[in-house]
Amino acid sequence: MKFQQTVEKAAEIGEGINYDKILDLIISISTNLLMAAAILIIGFWVVKKAMKILEFSLEKANLSPEITSFLSSLLSAVMKVFILLAAIGQVGVDTASLVGLIAAAGFAVGMALQGSLANFAAGIMIMVFKPYKLGDWIEACDKFGKVESIQIFNTTIVTPGQKVHIIPNGQVMDGVITNFSQKGTIRLELNVSMPYAESFPRVREIIKGALLTVPSILNDPEPEIGIETYDSHNMVLAIRPFIDPNNYWGATYDCHSAIKKAFHENGIQVAYSEGIELGDIGA
């Protein structure tokens, strides 16, 4: 008896259900899901092809591998976010609130990372305009050294004394950058003293001969030697030989040593204070 009553009750409930509406709803949901899946599959495929074209174009523009990889990854991520939003919207979810949330999060992150974003923008400029490249000898932020790496946020240079300076790109671009390697050669700026009684043409030839003994000194362009100024006891000579940037410190030391030796061999005298004066030290 109870079983029969249960069957009759289920039949009454079934008569109140609109199966056509349920079928239409299932078809609508299935269609939207299939469309969303199609948007994701086709969209990601298009992004992949577009990124290959973009990478090829950036390589043709002679941009560095670092900036090529970064820009490709950034644009790929942005395009995939838009595709995901389109797929979510196709399912029926309101994407306006999601877009607002993403925008608010992006603004908050941008405010928190102002300094980093400035370094990032400067890194992009360095990689695009290339004021220096790997292996160049530069002076930036009062630091002199060889460029070891150029990254998105900072530049690493190594001094001749093997000190490593990691300089934020924002500071590099805000100041003066001196590139010693861009022209292929650099000029040493050396000074020596010459007594007034000596003949300048004679001393100049002696210095030229001394420079010829230094292997790292270039003959083309020819070293420049001239009188820079007149001191109280000597004339100050400017000696400007050209060298490869990689030989900067070695050439500097070798030139000073060769010139001193040449002055000694040719009897060139230089005025200096001889002897030691002692003074009292108070209590």
Side-chain angles (χ1 to χ4, degrees), residues 71 77 190 215-216 256:
L71 289 178
L190 310 177
S216 54
H256 282 309

Side-chain angles (χ1 to χ4, degrees), residues 104-239:
F107 178 78
V109 171
M111 292 296 293
L113 300 176
Q114 287 184 3
S116 297
L117 290 176
N119 292 330
F120 163 77
I124 295 296
M125 293 178 63
I126 290 172
M127 293 180 181
V128 171
F129 296 106
K130 299 180 180 179
Y132 52 84
K133 62 183 185 298
L134 294 179
D136 282 358
W137 287 91
I138 68 169
E139 184 176 357
C141 301
D142 296 326
K143 306 297 183 183
F144 172 77
K146 190 174 186 178
V147 179
E148 187 176 70
S149 68
I150 305 172
Q151 301 175 0
I152 293 296
F153 293 100
N154 54 63
T155 294
T156 302
I157 65 174
V158 180
T159 69
Q162 296 301 305
K163 294 181 180 178
V164 179
H165 294 295
I166 302 174
I167 308 174
N169 287 330
Q171 295 183 19
V172 174
M173 294 301 291
D174 284 343
V176 177
I177 304 171
T178 304
N179 191 324
F180 294 90
S181 301
Q182 192 167 21
K183 296 298 183 179
T185 60
I186 60 173
R187 189 181 68 176
L188 294 181
E189 298 184 0
L190 310 177
N191 294 98
V192 298
S193 298
M194 183 195 86
Y196 284 102
E198 286 288 348
S199 167
F200 170 68
R202 174 175 177 263
V203 173
R204 180 173 56 190
E205 292 303 317
I206 291 173
I207 294 175
K208 280 186 178 181
L211 295 178
L212 291 176
T213 64
V214 180
S216 54
I217 298 299
L218 302 177
N219 295 324
D220 186 20
E222 185 179 352
E224 301 173 357
I225 303 172
I227 300 174
E228 183 174 276
T229 187
Y230 298 97
D231 203 355
S232 58
H233 297 86
N234 297 282
M235 290 184 291
V236 179
L237 305 184
I239 304 172

Side-chain angles (χ1 to χ4, degrees), residues 18-170:
N18 191 331
Y19 291 101
D20 291 337
K21 289 184 178 180
I22 294 176
L23 182 60
D24 291 341
L25 180 62
I26 292 173
I27 293 174
S28 176
I29 293 175
S30 301
T31 302
N32 289 335
L33 289 174
L34 289 174
M35 289 294 294
I39 291 173
L40 290 175
I41 295 172
I42 296 174
F44 284 1
W45 180 82
V46 171
V47 169
K48 184 177 180 180
K49 294 296 182 182
M51 289 304 101
K52 288 184 178 180
I53 296 173
L54 176 64
E55 290 175 1
F56 179 77
S57 301
L58 293 176
E59 289 175 0
K60 284 292 185 181
N62 293 324
L63 294 179
S64 64
E66 293 87 355
I67 191 172
T68 299
S69 175
F70 177 79
L71 289 178
S72 299
S73 300
L74 179 63
L75 292 177
S76 176
V78 171
M79 294 173 68
K80 287 179 179 179
V81 167
F82 280 107
I83 292 170
L84 286 172
L85 290 175
I88 293 173
Q90 181 63 40
V91 175
V93 178
D94 184 13
T95 57
S97 58
L98 289 176
V99 172
L101 182 63
I102 293 173
F107 178 78
V109 171
M111 292 296 293
L113 300 176
Q114 287 184 3
S116 297
L117 290 176
N119 292 330
F120 163 77
I124 295 296
M125 293 178 63
I126 290 172
M127 293 180 181
V128 171
F129 296 106
K130 299 180 180 179
Y132 52 84
K133 62 183 185 298
L134 294 179
D136 282 358
W137 287 91
I138 68 169
E139 184 176 357
C141 301
D142 296 326
K143 306 297 183 183
F144 172 77
K146 190 174 186 178
V147 179
E148 187 176 70
S149 68
I150 305 172
Q151 301 175 0
I152 293 296
F153 293 100
N154 54 63
T155 294
T156 302
I157 65 174
V158 180
T159 69
Q162 296 301 305
K163 294 181 180 178
V164 179
H165 294 295
I166 302 174
I167 308 174
N169 287 330

Side-chain angles (χ1 to χ4, degrees), residues 1-11:
M1 185 66 179
K2 290 184 178 180
F3 176 75
Q4 185 178 358
Q5 291 176 352
T6 303
V7 172
E8 291 175 354
K9 189 174 182 180

